[in-house]
Amino acid sequence: MTDLAQPTSALRDGVPGGSTSAGFAIERLRRWPAIAAIMAVAAMCGAVSAGHPPVVLGLVALVAGLAILARPQRGAVVAVALAFSNATVIASSKYGLPEAVALVIPLLLLVVVAYDVCTRRLPLRLPRSGLWAVAFVLVELLGALTSRDPTASIQAWTGVFTEGLVMFLLLTNAVRGFELVRAATIALVMTAALLGTVSVAQNIGVINGDAGGFGKVSNAVIAQGDHGVGGSQRRAGPIGEQNRWAQDLAVVLPLAVAMALTDRSRLVRRAMGASAIGIGAGMVLTFSRGAVVGLILTALIAVFAGWIRPRVALSAAAVVVVVLVAGAPVFASRASTLAEVPSAFRGPSDSSQATDGSFDNRAVEGSAAFAVFSRHPLLGVGTGQFPTYFQDEARRLGAPRIVGVNREAHSLYLGLAAETGLLGLLTFAGLIVALQGPLVRLRRRATARRPDVAGLATGYALAVTTYLTTGIFLHFAYIRYFWLFIGLAAAMGMVSSSDASADPSSPLTLEKVP
């Protein structure tokens, strides 16, 4: 069996006949640049029709549709770009399109799956991580059914099922083989870079407003000084929440860096290097301290695992610090307040302390989540139910500033503990281990012969790790992004051993499910 990289008649849009040198040359030209062409046309449409976003959306839809008709597998690539850009939600909420437009993404993936199963005669597949994903969602359902407000909790769980598990299963069946994972990753990275660059353009005044909904601005303002007037607005990307947007960009950053260093195409390496700069700039303009800490922890884990040399990590860190101090002093100043974290967890600050109030709030929220978990250790209180328990816990902890306000745990792990209990934590941990194991093994197998395969496997392993490290400060929300990332990571983990050991110029074969 063959995959996208092999120029056979089955992959030349169903045209019979053997492979020729001319056909092979055409096939090579058509591999990944299709997605680059789509993104380029989208950018040009935006430039010539600024102020008319519906026109842009229509033109992009036309180009994407033509690309998908020429090669159905491209539907998966377009679906990944749409999912990360939040385009369907923006089309509905900002431009009045029916909410059913959100079905475009699963339908695109379903078309690819149907093409693979019915035309290419490929079997449906469920990786080991998929089994853990199903178990995790079932635990959430059981907790919702036994919560004190089953109706509200099941409604929250429905979002986990439709935007989460269904997305994961479709991705792992639609994105097959290294070449398609690579194309989807390029689309993901370039979309993130484009949106990060939008934030930069807004910051310097080239783009005004919210960039058609793709460059929302938070109400929060970072002051220029301790008691400064005015300041810098926090960019929130297409989702409208600055810390979440920072997390999403931080997760994509390791993929951009990995491909910039290891991809076999010089053009792709350059594009990914430029994209890494755009993603980093967009992340800086969110002014998120959690993203900084998450990336530092990810780098330390990579050094400890032997994936990054300590000297390289220290050199990169020094360059980043110099660039931030020189080019983004407001962000550097805000990041320096991380030194106040220990004092926040010793207790609420008083007038003599300069501790950032957000640290005090996070400490109370985390303590409340742990208290709820200790009272409901097995299944938790049900998906989406922790905020309804928070006020009582805040009063008990003596935190008058945030009493009367429903708050989240602001920690992936404490939030999961409070809402899903030990069973939720165990199944989530099983899901992560089942994701990372195949990626680590693929990296080991491919290092000698296929550095591009090994590099992308490393990128996805570090991307998942970054979600986990940034999750220390963010609860489990905007879950479609989590499932998008782990769906692609699972697809990468299913790349076959023959792909890992093959010569870069040889055809790649379809993978076996690990």
Side-chain angles (χ1 to χ4, degrees), residues 387 390-395 399-407:
F390 172 76
Q391 292 186 29
D392 292 338
E393 297 298 333
R395 291 187 181 92
R401 284 200 329 172
I402 50 179
V403 165
V405 180
N406 286 340
R407 303 292 288 250

Side-chain angles (χ1 to χ4, degrees), residues 139-150 153-154 376 379-382 389:
V139 167
E140 286 198 304
L141 175 60
L142 185 58
L145 291 172
T146 57
S147 70
R148 68 183 183 185
D149 188 355
S153 192
I154 290 175
H376 306 269
L379 285 171
V381 296
Y389 286 78

Side-chain angles (χ1 to χ4, degrees), residues 209-461:
D210 66 354
F214 292 94
K216 296 182 176 68
V217 180
S218 169
N219 292 327
V221 176
I222 305 301
Q224 297 287 359
D226 292 337
H227 304 286
V229 178
S232 301
Q233 291 182 298
R234 302 183 68 178
R235 307 297 167 178
I239 62 177
E241 208 292 317
Q242 61 275 6
N243 291 314
R244 288 293 172 181
W245 182 232
Q247 180 186 45
D248 295 333
L249 292 175
V251 171
V252 178
L253 188 58
L255 298 172
V257 173
M259 296 196 75
L261 294 174
T262 63
D263 195 86
R264 64 180 182 269
S265 166
R266 180 183 301 176
L267 180 59
V268 172
R269 291 196 302 271
R270 291 176 177 174
M272 295 298 98
S275 295
I277 296 173
I279 292 169
M283 193 182 71
V284 166
L285 292 173
T286 66
F287 296 96
S288 172
R289 293 168 291 197
V292 174
V293 175
L295 286 172
I296 291 173
L297 291 175
T298 297
L300 291 174
I301 291 170
V303 170
F304 181 78
W307 294 357
I308 300 176
R309 295 177 182 176
R311 182 173 59 185
V312 174
L314 288 174
S315 300
V319 171
V320 169
V321 169
V322 170
V323 170
L324 290 179
V325 171
V330 178
F331 179 84
S333 175
R334 177 170 169 79
S336 68
T337 61
L338 288 167
E340 302 170 3
V341 172
S343 61
F345 282 87
R346 286 195 293 268
S349 60
D350 55 35
S351 59
S352 65
Q353 293 176 303
T355 305
D356 189 323
S358 65
F359 294 151
D360 288 338
N361 293 348
R362 297 290 177 92
V364 173
E365 291 154 2
S367 299
F370 185 79
V372 170
F373 166 65
S374 66
R375 295 184 178 89
H376 306 269
L378 186 60
L379 285 171
V381 296
T383 302
Q385 291 298 295
F386 169 72
T388 66
Y389 286 78
F390 172 76
Q391 292 186 29
D392 292 338
E393 297 298 333
R395 291 187 181 92
R396 186 181 64 80
L397 293 168
R401 284 200 329 172
I402 50 179
V403 165
V405 180
N406 286 340
R407 303 292 288 250
E408 295 284 357
H410 278 290
S411 169
L412 169 64
Y413 310 102
L414 291 173
L416 284 177
E419 294 192 344
T420 66
L422 281 172
L423 288 180
L425 288 174
L426 289 174
T427 51
F428 182 80
L431 168 60
I432 297 302
V433 171
L435 277 173
Q436 297 286 52
L439 292 170
V440 173
R441 291 192 293 272
L442 177 60
R443 179 186 185 277
R444 188 183 305 121
R445 293 195 306 266
T447 298
R449 296 290 300 276
R450 292 300 304 269
D452 55 334
V453 176
L456 195 52
T458 304
Y460 271 106

Side-chain angles (χ1 to χ4, degrees), residues 108-120:
L108 282 171
L109 295 172
L110 192 59
V111 166
V112 180
V113 174
Y115 174 77
D116 284 342
V117 172
C118 300
T119 302
R120 300 175 68 193

